[in-house]
Structures are given as C-alpha cells and as structure tokens.
Amino acid sequence: RHGPLFKRAVELGMLYVPGDYCYPADPTRTVPKNQIRLSFGVPTEEQNREGVRLLAQAIKDVAGG
C-alpha cells in the first residue's frame, strides 16, 4: 500500500504518515494521494532537522537525483 518514498524514508530511519490516512471516509470526494503528515510537536529541534534532512534524501533517492 505504501509507495517507494515511504519505503525509502523508513530505510533511512525517518517515518511519516501518508496523507491519505488523515482523511475520514467521504464518498463525495477523492482522497489526495500526494500529501504527507509530519509531526513536529514531540521531537526536539535537532531531531526535526535530522528528520527533514532524511526526508529530503529519500525524495532525492526516489526521484533519481
């Protein structure tokens, strides 16, 4: 169910919530598949910076850059 970005991020040690998990069931709309949910409330500032760095690396890896 998870795409290559999620897989690569987990391999690098970074976890995010795919955005489609954040929408309640609603037959009147299509759930977006191009969003992610990040949590910045619990991690320290340094952990947030490292998480963003790892996410950027995962995006580069998946995009072929």
Side-chain angles (χ1 to χ4, degrees):
R1 168 160 183 176
H2 303 299
L5 177 59
F6 185 86
K7 180 181 178 200
R8 183 63 184 137
V10 170
E11 289 171 354
L12 292 173
M14 189 273 181
L15 182 65
Y16 68 86
V17 176
D20 56 321
Y21 286 112
C22 302
Y23 289 86
D26 183 347
T28 65
R29 71 171 168 198
T30 302
V31 174
K33 299 290 185 190
N34 62 347
Q35 298 178 354
I36 62 175
R37 169 101 21 128
L38 304 174
S39 174
F40 293 97
V42 175
T44 65
E45 184 176 342
E46 182 57 36
Q47 289 170 322
N48 282 328
R49 289 181 191 277
E50 179 64 4
V52 170
R53 186 189 72 73
L54 293 170
L55 180 58
Q57 183 61 55
I59 291 168
K60 288 177 188 176
D61 291 350
V62 170

XYZ file of all heavy atoms in Angstrom:
506
model
N 0.811 -1.197 0.000
C 0.000 0.000 0.000
C 0.857 1.264 0.000
O 0.451 2.285 -0.500
C -0.920 -0.038 1.207
C -1.560 1.286 1.430
C -2.755 1.260 2.244
N -3.218 2.627 2.246
C -4.279 3.056 2.771
N -5.053 2.234 3.377
N -4.617 4.304 2.717
N 2.029 1.203 0.601
C 2.894 2.384 0.647
C 3.774 2.425 -0.589
O 4.225 1.409 -1.086
C 3.762 2.369 1.902
C 2.967 2.301 3.169
N 2.073 3.272 3.527
C 2.921 1.375 4.147
C 1.521 2.946 4.685
N 2.014 1.796 5.071
N 4.045 3.631 -1.037
C 4.852 3.805 -2.229
C 6.341 3.811 -1.943
O 6.784 3.626 -0.805
N 7.124 4.046 -2.981
C 8.581 3.995 -2.855
C 9.157 5.074 -1.926
O 10.174 4.834 -1.280
C 9.079 4.166 -4.287
C 7.926 4.671 -5.073
C 6.677 4.274 -4.342
N 8.526 6.233 -1.839
C 9.040 7.269 -0.936
C 8.926 6.813 0.510
O 9.882 6.949 1.281
C 8.309 8.597 -1.131
C 8.740 9.721 -0.186
C 10.235 10.028 -0.326
C 7.908 10.966 -0.427
N 7.790 6.254 0.889
C 7.611 5.771 2.253
C 8.645 4.691 2.565
O 9.296 4.727 3.608
C 6.194 5.227 2.453
C 5.911 4.819 3.863
C 5.474 5.746 4.795
C 6.084 3.507 4.268
C 5.220 5.369 6.109
C 5.829 3.121 5.576
C 5.399 4.062 6.494
N 8.802 3.752 1.649
C 9.763 2.663 1.856
C 11.173 3.206 2.046
O 11.888 2.806 2.956
C 9.716 1.701 0.675
C 10.669 0.548 0.819
C 10.613 -0.380 -0.377
C 11.636 -1.487 -0.173
N 12.000 -2.152 -1.377
N 11.577 4.131 1.192
C 12.938 4.676 1.283
C 13.125 5.484 2.561
O 14.172 5.408 3.208
C 13.263 5.528 0.052
C 14.675 6.049 0.043
C 15.684 4.909 -0.012
N 17.033 5.426 0.069
C 17.993 4.898 0.810
N 17.787 3.795 1.501
N 19.180 5.446 0.856
N 12.125 6.277 2.939
C 12.222 7.060 4.172
C 12.414 6.137 5.376
O 13.263 6.388 6.235
C 10.978 7.934 4.350
N 11.658 5.046 5.437
C 11.793 4.093 6.544
C 13.180 3.457 6.521
O 13.811 3.295 7.570
C 10.673 3.035 6.495
C 10.941 1.903 7.477
C 9.322 3.681 6.776
N 13.678 3.119 5.345
C 15.033 2.555 5.239
C 16.074 3.509 5.813
O 17.062 3.073 6.404
C 15.367 2.248 3.784
C 14.624 1.078 3.207
C 14.812 0.926 1.706
O 15.430 1.788 1.055
O 14.314 -0.077 1.172
N 15.853 4.799 5.645
C 16.787 5.807 6.148
C 16.558 6.136 7.625
O 17.347 6.870 8.221
C 16.684 7.084 5.316
C 17.175 6.982 3.878
C 16.855 8.264 3.114
C 18.667 6.684 3.830
N 15.476 5.625 8.200
C 15.208 5.859 9.620
C 14.244 6.992 9.896
O 14.168 7.500 11.013
N 13.480 7.406 8.895
C 12.532 8.504 9.039
C 11.133 7.976 8.759
O 10.935 7.242 7.804
C 12.898 9.599 8.031
C 12.143 10.885 8.200
S 10.605 10.849 7.329
C 9.992 12.448 7.687
N 10.180 8.335 9.592
C 8.813 7.853 9.426
C 7.870 9.038 9.300
O 7.976 10.010 10.043
C 8.418 6.999 10.635
C 7.037 6.371 10.609
C 6.927 5.355 9.468
C 6.755 5.686 11.934
N 6.964 8.971 8.340
C 5.902 9.958 8.205
C 4.595 9.215 7.997
O 4.580 8.013 7.751
C 6.172 10.942 7.060
C 6.120 10.323 5.682
C 4.919 10.193 5.002
C 7.274 9.877 5.046
C 4.871 9.621 3.732
C 7.237 9.322 3.789
C 6.030 9.197 3.139
O 5.982 8.636 1.892
N 3.495 9.929 8.114
C 2.182 9.327 7.895
C 1.719 9.712 6.495
O 1.632 10.903 6.178
C 1.163 9.823 8.946
C -0.224 9.268 8.670
C 1.620 9.467 10.350
N 1.450 8.723 5.639
C 0.884 9.051 4.327
C -0.407 9.850 4.520
O -1.247 9.521 5.370
C 0.617 7.685 3.695
C 1.624 6.779 4.344
C 1.697 7.285 5.770
N -0.556 10.918 3.759
C -1.678 11.839 3.934
C -3.046 11.212 3.802
O -4.002 11.670 4.430
N -3.168 10.152 3.002
C -4.493 9.568 2.823
C -5.040 8.950 4.108
O -6.244 8.747 4.242
C -4.517 8.573 1.661
C -3.511 7.451 1.769
O -2.378 7.704 2.213
O -3.850 6.326 1.391
N -4.177 8.683 5.095
C -4.645 8.181 6.387
C -5.305 9.280 7.221
O -5.926 9.000 8.232
C -3.489 7.597 7.201
C -3.009 6.263 6.713
C -1.749 6.125 6.145
C -3.801 5.132 6.817
C -1.294 4.899 5.691
C -3.361 3.897 6.371
C -2.108 3.791 5.807
O -1.667 2.581 5.362
N -5.149 10.527 6.823
C -5.614 11.659 7.617
C -6.972 12.190 7.171
O -7.401 13.247 7.638
C -4.570 12.776 7.554
S -2.951 12.237 8.147
N -7.636 11.476 6.288
C -8.939 11.897 5.791
C -10.008 10.884 6.199
O -9.813 9.686 6.016
C -8.931 12.010 4.262
C -8.142 13.177 3.757
C -6.768 13.073 3.545
C -8.755 14.391 3.498
C -6.038 14.151 3.084
C -8.028 15.475 3.038
C -6.671 15.349 2.837
O -5.945 16.413 2.386
N -11.118 11.353 6.736
C -12.193 10.423 7.062
C -12.865 9.919 5.779
O -12.776 10.553 4.730
C -13.171 11.278 7.880
C -12.914 12.675 7.429
C -11.447 12.730 7.069
N -13.513 8.795 5.895
C -14.238 8.254 4.747
C -15.311 9.250 4.314
O -16.082 9.751 5.136
C -14.863 6.926 5.118
N -15.331 9.565 3.044
C -16.307 10.505 2.500
C -16.523 10.154 1.035
O -15.671 10.439 0.191
C -15.797 11.931 2.636
C -16.797 12.981 2.156
O -17.788 12.613 1.483
O -16.580 14.161 2.434
N -17.655 9.547 0.705
C -17.895 9.122 -0.673
C -18.066 10.279 -1.655
O -18.082 10.067 -2.858
C -19.175 8.288 -0.576
C -19.857 8.770 0.656
C -18.754 9.209 1.593
N -18.136 11.519 -1.156
C -18.334 12.653 -2.060
C -17.028 13.267 -2.559
O -17.045 14.200 -3.348
C -19.153 13.762 -1.379
O -18.399 14.306 -0.279
C -20.484 13.223 -0.886
N -15.884 12.750 -2.088
C -14.615 13.308 -2.558
C -13.559 12.218 -2.702
O -13.624 11.167 -2.081
C -14.101 14.393 -1.628
C -13.607 13.860 -0.320
C -12.904 14.924 0.473
N -12.736 14.390 1.818
C -12.481 15.082 2.857
N -12.329 16.368 2.755
N -12.356 14.519 4.032
N -12.585 12.532 -3.507
C -11.444 11.646 -3.696
C -10.348 12.056 -2.718
O -10.029 13.229 -2.599
C -10.917 11.754 -5.140
O -11.968 11.425 -6.029
C -9.752 10.827 -5.368
N -9.798 11.087 -2.037
C -8.725 11.363 -1.079
C -7.437 11.634 -1.853
O -7.050 10.851 -2.715
C -8.537 10.163 -0.124
C -7.335 10.377 0.776
C -9.792 9.946 0.698
N -6.752 12.762 -1.564
C -5.494 13.055 -2.250
C -4.438 11.992 -1.958
O -4.365 11.464 -0.853
C -5.061 14.404 -1.665
C -6.222 14.936 -0.917
C -7.116 13.785 -0.597
N -3.614 11.713 -2.932
C -2.541 10.718 -2.773
C -1.162 11.372 -2.810
O -0.157 10.696 -2.877
C -2.624 9.669 -3.892
C -3.919 8.905 -3.901
C -4.009 7.985 -2.725
C -5.261 7.128 -2.808
N -5.516 6.392 -1.617
N -1.112 12.698 -2.771
C 0.159 13.408 -2.899
C 0.477 14.256 -1.667
O 1.078 15.311 -1.778
C 0.131 14.284 -4.149
C -0.943 15.354 -4.092
O -1.823 15.318 -3.249
N -0.877 16.301 -5.004
N 0.073 13.781 -0.495
C 0.308 14.526 0.731
C 0.924 13.616 1.781
O 0.739 12.404 1.751
C -1.010 15.102 1.266
C -1.658 16.072 0.313
C -2.985 16.582 0.847
O -3.478 16.142 1.876
N -3.569 17.531 0.140
N 1.650 14.245 2.722
C 2.190 13.515 3.868
C 1.904 14.335 5.120
O 1.664 15.546 5.054
C 3.698 13.221 3.746
C 4.518 14.509 3.689
C 3.983 12.358 2.537
C 6.016 14.272 3.678
N 1.927 13.675 6.262
C 1.729 14.356 7.530
C 2.988 14.188 8.361
O 3.457 13.069 8.563
C 0.515 13.771 8.246
C 0.340 14.190 9.660
C -0.664 15.264 10.011
N -1.727 15.583 9.142
C -3.002 15.637 9.495
N -3.352 15.289 10.714
N -3.908 16.043 8.664
N 3.541 15.305 8.826
C 4.749 15.294 9.652
C 4.398 15.788 11.049
O 3.564 16.669 11.201
C 5.820 16.204 9.054
C 6.236 15.916 7.617
C 7.206 16.988 7.126
C 6.849 14.550 7.501
N 5.050 15.246 12.067
C 4.850 15.692 13.435
C 6.092 16.445 13.899
O 7.197 15.912 13.874
C 4.605 14.502 14.361
O 4.561 14.941 15.696
N 5.896 17.688 14.305
C 6.997 18.500 14.801
C 6.847 18.808 16.291
O 7.658 19.489 16.865
C 7.071 19.839 14.041
C 7.456 19.689 12.604
C 6.495 19.648 11.615
C 8.786 19.567 12.237
C 6.849 19.513 10.283
C 9.156 19.422 10.916
C 8.178 19.393 9.942
N 5.790 18.313 16.929
C 5.483 18.684 18.301
C 6.267 17.940 19.372
O 6.558 18.497 20.408
N 6.611 16.700 19.125
C 7.262 15.893 20.147
C 8.783 15.859 19.986
O 9.503 15.981 20.965
C 6.676 14.458 20.160
C 7.421 13.566 21.124
C 5.194 14.506 20.505
N 9.300 15.712 18.761
C 10.759 15.644 18.595
C 11.437 16.956 18.984
O 10.834 18.033 18.941
C 10.947 15.379 17.094
C 9.632 14.869 16.608
C 8.604 15.504 17.493
N 12.708 16.856 19.325
C 13.498 18.051 19.609
C 13.784 18.792 18.300
O 13.583 18.253 17.207
C 14.844 17.670 20.255
O 15.614 16.937 19.295
C 14.655 16.850 21.517
N 14.295 19.990 18.416
C 14.644 20.764 17.224
C 15.673 20.013 16.384
O 15.562 19.956 15.164
C 15.180 22.139 17.625
C 15.475 23.025 16.431
C 15.918 24.423 16.825
O 15.685 24.839 17.974
O 16.508 25.093 15.960
N 16.650 19.427 17.029
C 17.676 18.667 16.305
C 17.069 17.443 15.616
O 17.422 17.129 14.478
C 18.796 18.244 17.251
C 19.923 17.495 16.566
C 20.579 18.262 15.411
O 20.711 19.490 15.503
O 20.946 17.607 14.418
N 16.176 16.749 16.286
C 15.514 15.597 15.672
C 14.657 16.022 14.469
O 14.605 15.318 13.460
C 14.647 14.860 16.700
C 15.454 14.113 17.734
C 14.597 13.597 18.865
O 13.659 14.251 19.323
N 14.923 12.390 19.331
N 14.000 17.170 14.581
C 13.231 17.695 13.452
C 14.140 17.989 12.257
O 13.818 17.646 11.125
C 12.466 18.961 13.846
C 11.221 18.660 14.640
O 10.572 17.637 14.456
N 10.868 19.561 15.545
N 15.265 18.625 12.526
C 16.209 18.933 11.438
C 16.702 17.648 10.766
O 16.777 17.561 9.539
C 17.401 19.722 11.971
C 17.078 21.132 12.352
C 18.337 21.856 12.862
N 18.004 23.110 13.458
C 17.804 24.242 12.791
N 17.893 24.246 11.481
N 17.503 25.355 13.425
N 17.039 16.654 11.573
C 17.513 15.384 11.027
C 16.401 14.677 10.249
O 16.649 14.108 9.187
C 18.035 14.483 12.152
C 18.527 13.133 11.686
C 19.747 13.170 10.771
O 20.308 14.257 10.513
O 20.138 12.087 10.303
N 15.182 14.729 10.744
C 14.060 14.127 10.030
C 13.825 14.776 8.675
O 13.598 14.089 7.680
N 13.897 16.090 8.629
C 13.731 16.807 7.359
C 14.882 16.471 6.413
O 14.676 16.269 5.213
C 13.611 18.328 7.599
C 13.690 19.098 6.290
C 12.310 18.637 8.331
N 16.102 16.380 6.949
C 17.241 16.000 6.116
C 17.047 14.606 5.529
O 17.272 14.381 4.337
C 18.544 16.047 6.933
C 19.794 15.799 6.093
C 21.036 15.629 6.953
N 21.051 14.364 7.661
C 21.285 13.170 7.086
N 21.499 13.084 5.785
N 21.282 12.072 7.806
N 16.602 13.670 6.347
C 16.376 12.309 5.869
C 15.248 12.243 4.856
O 15.332 11.520 3.851
C 16.084 11.373 7.046
C 17.251 11.129 7.998
C 16.780 10.389 9.237
C 18.372 10.378 7.294
N 14.184 13.009 5.076
C 13.081 13.048 4.108
C 13.561 13.619 2.784
O 13.238 13.089 1.715
C 11.910 13.858 4.654
C 10.704 13.975 3.732
C 10.134 12.607 3.361
C 9.634 14.850 4.383
N 14.361 14.676 2.838
C 14.912 15.254 1.601
C 15.773 14.231 0.863
O 15.695 14.108 -0.362
C 15.721 16.515 1.916
N 16.566 13.473 1.607
C 17.394 12.438 0.984
C 16.533 11.357 0.342
O 16.805 10.909 -0.765
C 18.347 11.814 2.004
C 19.293 10.790 1.404
C 20.195 11.401 0.349
O 20.890 12.374 0.621
N 20.199 10.843 -0.854
N 15.480 10.959 1.035
C 14.579 9.937 0.486
C 13.922 10.433 -0.805
O 13.822 9.684 -1.770
C 13.512 9.568 1.523
N 13.507 11.684 -0.822
C 12.896 12.261 -2.027
C 13.904 12.267 -3.170
O 13.584 11.877 -4.290
C 12.354 13.690 -1.741
C 11.159 13.596 -0.801
C 11.987 14.399 -3.043
C 10.719 14.934 -0.220
N 15.135 12.689 -2.892
C 16.172 12.681 -3.926
C 16.420 11.274 -4.444
O 16.545 11.062 -5.656
C 17.475 13.263 -3.374
C 17.453 14.740 -3.163
C 18.773 15.210 -2.553
C 18.689 16.663 -2.145
N 19.926 17.094 -1.472
N 16.495 10.307 -3.529
C 16.760 8.927 -3.928
C 15.649 8.384 -4.821
O 15.915 7.749 -5.842
C 16.895 8.032 -2.696
C 18.145 8.317 -1.875
O 19.025 9.072 -2.346
O 18.220 7.794 -0.750
N 14.414 8.642 -4.453
C 13.271 8.126 -5.216
C 13.128 8.860 -6.558
O 12.770 8.251 -7.564
C 11.977 8.241 -4.374
C 10.750 7.945 -5.197
C 12.048 7.280 -3.193
N 13.444 10.146 -6.560
C 13.320 10.946 -7.776
C 14.489 10.723 -8.736
O 14.475 11.212 -9.857
C 13.195 12.420 -7.431
N 15.506 10.011 -8.263
C 16.658 9.738 -9.123
C 17.681 10.851 -9.135
O 18.482 10.962 -10.046
N 17.663 11.710 -8.107
C 18.597 12.829 -8.082
C 19.609 12.631 -7.092
O 20.476 12.861 -6.558
